[in-house]
């Protein structure tokens, strides 16, 4: 089985004005070339990288029309992503964008392309933020299921942004996928508070599930009619074990609110030789403290006593 994996996390700079799909694909091509030279097996891009496509595909349209316009713009992008994966021999989790839900609306779909593949694996986000689901804004609808899949000898899942904050999903993964090796978490957060929630919960999921979590977000203000700020970074988190370096931080950069002047594409974190095999062995044999798929079924809760204590405090 795979013992180590190398991943490039691309904290994509949204603060650029593109003239067409070729501009974005040229950026991805440059990142793919650099990532392959750095020894990476996979590139991970953030949630809603598609918003930057609006700078050429609809900068002045009503916000309610934006999901349809991003989904349409994706048609000129998808084939190019696959060609870049094939050209450089590297797999690409190319971020997320709206995909039709079959009922006249849109889901938020993360897309994983494999070199030599024929179609991307798509994971639809389960839980929407208030602005994301607002019918007066994007009106994105939740997806209906979580896929656990095999990639490069690893058991993997893609858990998008707010989904990483769901304890119920973590419990479900612990119960149904106890052999999970890697979670990929693309995200988009406007404020440092959102960045802190997503990255803090990603670190917690690494501990709870005794697995590796790779998380990345977009940065910079998308130059639309009303610029939209983004604050984020990139990180790879491991369980907090002595054998893994104690603090769970394998690699981490950010947060950033904008890209460096000399790096307009946005920061890249090349995380080399992530010890997924060592994590697996610890999970299967002797972690310091790990409850595994512990269940609260049958646990008694005395909430009435807590209420009385609050009223008398």
């Amino acid at each position: 089985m795979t013992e180590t994996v190398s991943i490039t996390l691309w904290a994509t700079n949204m603060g650029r004005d593109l003239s067409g799909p070729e501009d974005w694909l040229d950026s991805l091509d440059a990142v793919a070339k650099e990532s392959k030279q750095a020894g990476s097996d996979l590139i991970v891009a953030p949630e809603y990288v598609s918003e930057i496509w609006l700078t050429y595909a609809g900068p002045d349209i009503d916000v309610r029309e934006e999901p349809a316009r991003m989904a349409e713009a994706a048609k000129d992008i998808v084939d190019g992503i696959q060609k870049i994966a094939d050209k450089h021999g590297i797999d690409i989790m190319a971020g997320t964008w709206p995909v039709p839900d079959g009922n006249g609306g849109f889901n938020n779909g993360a897309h994983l392309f494999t070199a030599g593949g024929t179609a991307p694996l798509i994971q639809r986000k389960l839980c929407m933020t208030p602005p994301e689901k607002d019918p007066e804004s994007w009106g994105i609808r939740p997806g209906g299921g979580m896929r656990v899949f095999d990639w490069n000898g690893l058991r993997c899942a893609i858990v998008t942004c707010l989904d990483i904050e769901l304890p119920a999903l973590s419990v479900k993964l612990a119960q149904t996928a106890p052999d999970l090796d890697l979670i990929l978490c693309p995200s988009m957060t406007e404020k440092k508070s959102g960045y802190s929630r997503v990255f803090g919960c990603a670190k917690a999921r690494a501990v709870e599930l005794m697995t590796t979590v790779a998380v990345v977000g977009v940065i910079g203000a998308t130059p639309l009619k009303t610029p939209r700020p983004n604050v984020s970074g990139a990180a790879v988190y491991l369980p907090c074990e002595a054998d893994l370096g104690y603090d769970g931080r394998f690699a981490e950069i950010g947060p950033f609110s904008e890209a460096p002047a000399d790096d307009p594409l946005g920061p890249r974190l090349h995380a080399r030789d992530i010890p997924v095999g060592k994590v697996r062995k610890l999970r299967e044999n002797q972690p310091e403290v790990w409850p595994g798929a512990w269940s609260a079924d049958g646990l008694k809760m005395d909430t009435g006593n807590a209420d009385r204590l609050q009223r008398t405090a």
Side-chain angles (χ1 to χ4, degrees), residues 290-308:
W290 182 54
W294 181 83
S295 172
D297 294 344
L299 181 68
K300 295 180 180 179
M301 299 290 291
D302 187 358
T303 58
N305 185 53
D307 288 341
R308 287 194 296 274

Side-chain angles (χ1 to χ4, degrees), residues 2-7 41 151-152 154 182 271-274 276:
T2 301
E3 292 301 314
T4 65
V5 66
S6 297
I7 298 175
D41 307 296
W151 170 78
N152 206 28
L154 305 175
L182 176 65
R272 293 289 305 275
D273 299 326
I274 304 166
V276 290

Side-chain angles (χ1 to χ4, degrees), residues 28-289:
L28 179 61
D29 186 67
V31 171
K33 180 180 179 181
E34 174 187 288
S35 301
K36 187 66 175 182
Q37 290 173 345
S40 290
D41 307 296
L42 173 69
I43 299 168
V44 181
E47 184 181 28
Y48 288 126
V49 292
S50 55
E51 188 177 84
I52 199 172
W53 305 342
L54 293 173
T55 60
Y56 65 83
D60 299 317
I61 62 174
D62 186 90
V63 67
R64 290 169 293 187
E65 299 176 43
E66 289 180 349
R69 193 62 62 88
M70 287 187 278
E72 185 67 24
K75 295 176 182 178
D76 295 323
I77 293 283
V78 168
D79 287 348
I81 298 172
Q82 185 63 61
K83 288 176 182 176
I84 290 169
D86 295 343
K87 172 184 174 182
H88 296 284
I90 191 169
D91 297 339
I92 303 173
M93 206 298 286
T96 85
W97 52 84
V99 294
D101 68 354
N103 294 302
F106 294 93
N107 300 136
N108 178 9
H111 293 68
L112 174 61
F113 297 77
T114 56
T118 56
L121 179 149
I122 300 175
Q123 172 62 58
R124 298 166 191 254
K125 187 177 178 182
L126 305 179
C127 189
M128 305 297 109
T129 65
E132 196 177 8
K133 67 183 179 183
D134 183 355
E136 296 304 312
S137 181
W138 282 358
I140 302 292
R141 299 172 182 174
M146 174 60 59
R147 303 179 67 174
V148 176
F149 57 92
D150 293 325
W151 170 78
N152 206 28
L154 305 175
R155 295 287 283 161
C156 304
I158 301 173
V159 180
T160 301
C161 201
L162 183 56
D163 289 354
I164 204 74
E165 300 178 31
L166 305 179
L169 178 57
S170 182
V171 170
K172 192 74 171 179
L173 286 170
Q175 293 171 340
T176 60
D179 57 347
L180 195 62
D181 291 305
L182 176 65
I183 292 175
L184 306 177
C185 179
S187 69
M188 170 182 263
T189 49
E190 294 183 358
K191 303 174 184 176
K192 192 174 179 180
S193 52
Y195 155 82
S196 298
R197 284 192 299 271
V198 170
F199 278 61
C201 289
K203 193 170 187 290
R205 299 296 91 90
V207 172
E208 291 171 352
L209 299 172
M210 198 69 185
T211 193
T212 299
V213 181
V215 55
V216 64
V218 292
I219 66 171
T222 313
L224 301 174
K225 186 164 52 176
T226 302
R228 299 171 189 165
N230 297 284
V231 176
S232 197
V236 175
Y237 296 124
L238 305 177
C240 298
E241 299 276 325
D243 288 350
L244 298 171
Y246 296 97
D247 66 1
R249 289 180 168 88
F250 180 80
E252 192 173 32
I253 57 172
F256 308 98
S257 59
E258 60 185 16
D262 62 348
D263 193 4
L265 298 183
R268 277 85 67 200
L269 173 60
H270 301 298
R272 293 289 305 275
D273 299 326
I274 304 166
V276 290
K278 184 179 287 188
V279 174
R280 186 188 308 116
K281 289 183 177 70
L282 285 168
R283 184 174 64 236
E284 293 173 348
N285 296 303
Q286 194 60 51
E288 291 177 9
V289 177

